[in-house]
Amino acid sequence: MSKIGIIGGSGLYKIEGISNVKEVSLNTPFGKPSGNFVLGELEGKEVVFLPRHGAGHRVSPSRINYRANIFGMKKLGVERIISVSACGSLKEELKPLDFVVADQFVDRTNQARQMSFFTEGIVAHIEFAHPVCPHLSKLIYDSGKGLKMAIHPQGTYINMEGPAFSTIAESRLYRSWGMDIIGMTNFSEAKLAREAEICYATLAAITDYDCWHPQHESVTIEMIINNLNKNIENSKRILSAAIRNMPAGKTCRCSEALKYAIVTDRKVIPAKVKKDLKIIIGKYL
């Protein structure tokens, strides 16, 4: 069975129970990832774990090398990624300590981050109407429900730039747009995972009501970390259950995302681009 990738957000820096642990340091054509990848076995499956903010939470959301992180996962043989992230809620019914399996994204970053492998010498237009793998998302939701967790099967995640939290005006604007949750990281990962033909799904842990809620006008890092610590064990339980129930085969289209996406004439793609992106585009050249 192919490897399962786990990207840990705020508070999730290690996962107990991984056996046969080996740390791997990688370089990529896009630079260094957030840190070492942790390889091992969890629930009888091969897993690859990476804390997106690095050891000690030292990398800001805007400075994460998303391309290196996802490229590294691909290089290590990962075919599915479960991303665990802290988020704020923009809906009363989505309560702090609940989980949301996000199914849509809206990007409000300022392009300070690179979120495509195809930026020079090659053009590829992926389909992205449905930005997460439906099968992997359902597995995560079913795993949470099976554990009697407060988990929601869908929600639109608005990706803000950060690292500062929202103003009240921004928070109210996002609510008026019908957004469900807000975070700073997952859109870039989802887009790059699709380009890399890796199944991707988000398990978002709600830590706060953002600043729109009259009882939560000031979102503080203490509030977020306190709630995240309460939910971190539940996150790990959902992860373990999802990995335990992960089927060997795949029937989704994620692994064929580039089949018709590359529009550049193969003869004019630079040799260096072909070499750098071989593990992503090699089968189509």
Side-chain angles (χ1 to χ4, degrees):
M1 184 176 179
S2 61
K3 296 184 180 73
I4 302 162
I6 304 167
I7 298 178
S10 302
L12 186 55
Y13 308 116
K14 63 179 181 178
I15 299 178
E16 296 80 7
I18 298 180
S19 59
N20 301 322
V21 171
K22 178 174 71 172
E23 285 198 23
V24 175
S25 175
L26 286 182
N27 220 331
T28 79
F30 307 99
K32 295 289 288 184
S34 294
N36 290 343
F37 293 86
V38 177
L39 282 65
E41 292 184 10
L42 183 66
E43 299 293 340
K45 312 285 174 60
E46 287 188 274
V47 298
V48 178
F49 174 68
L50 178 70
R52 73 164 60 83
H53 296 285
H57 200 114
R58 69 186 189 280
V59 187
S60 169
S62 299
R63 303 297 296 172
I64 292 169
N65 193 337
Y66 295 96
R67 292 192 297 181
N69 288 352
I70 300 301
F71 191 93
M73 288 281 186
K74 181 75 172 182
K75 189 172 183 178
L76 291 169
V78 167
E79 292 191 7
R80 296 176 171 100
I81 293 175
I82 301 174
S83 174
V84 182
S85 304
C87 71
S89 170
L90 297 166
K91 297 279 182 70
E92 186 82 44
E93 62 271 24
L94 302 176
K95 302 176 178 62
L97 303 183
D98 284 6
F99 291 97
V100 179
V101 184
D103 68 323
Q104 283 293 330
F105 296 95
V106 171
D107 182 32
R108 289 286 290 173
T109 64
N110 60 19
Q111 297 300 307
R113 56 191 77 186
Q114 291 285 349
M115 57 180 80
S116 176
F117 294 115
F118 306 108
T119 58
E120 186 176 347
I122 183 172
V123 178
H125 299 289
I126 56 167
E127 293 183 11
F128 206 52
H130 302 286
V132 298
C133 176
H135 299 168
L136 185 56
S137 295
K138 184 177 186 302
L139 175 65
I140 294 168
Y141 173 71
D142 289 345
S143 298
K145 287 299 289 184
L147 293 168
K148 311 298 182 185
M149 301 290 184
I151 188 169
H152 305 267
Q154 61 190 35
T156 299
Y157 176 120
I158 185 161
N159 201 137
M160 64 179 291
E161 186 58 74
F165 297 124
S166 306
T167 67
I168 290 177
E170 288 172 324
S171 196
R172 289 172 177 167
L173 176 65
Y174 302 150
R175 277 173 48 78
S176 76
W177 290 349
M179 303 294 101
D180 296 302
I181 54 178
I182 183 167
M184 300 181 186
T185 59
N186 278 212
F187 179 82
S188 304
E189 292 176 353
K191 183 176 278 190
L192 287 159
R194 181 61 53 82
E195 287 188 349
E197 299 188 325
I198 299 173
C199 297
Y200 179 90
T202 288
L203 175 63
I206 298 175
T207 57
D208 59 271
Y209 271 126
D210 208 39
C211 59
W212 65 269
H213 199 287
Q215 296 177 2
H216 294 263
E217 289 185 356
S218 178
V219 178
T220 66
I221 193 65
E222 290 83 7
M223 175 196 305
I224 289 173
I225 295 300
N226 285 339
N227 281 344
L228 190 61
N229 286 339
K230 293 176 184 176
N231 238 3
I232 210 68
E233 292 308 315
N234 285 339
S235 299
K236 293 176 182 178
R237 291 176 63 203
I238 294 172
L239 277 173
S240 292
I243 290 169
R244 182 168 57 250
N245 297 324
M246 192 81 66
K250 300 199 303 181
T251 57
C252 61
R253 296 176 55 205
C254 302
S255 59
E256 296 183 339
L258 293 178
K259 189 172 184 179
Y260 304 109
I262 300 171
V263 297
T264 306
D265 186 332
R266 281 26 173 200
K267 294 191 293 291
V268 303
I269 299 173
K272 185 177 186 306
V273 173
K274 291 180 179 179
K275 179 181 178 182
D276 287 348
L277 296 180
K278 183 177 180 180
I279 64 170
I280 293 176
I281 64 173
K283 68 180 180 180
Y284 299 110
L285 302 183

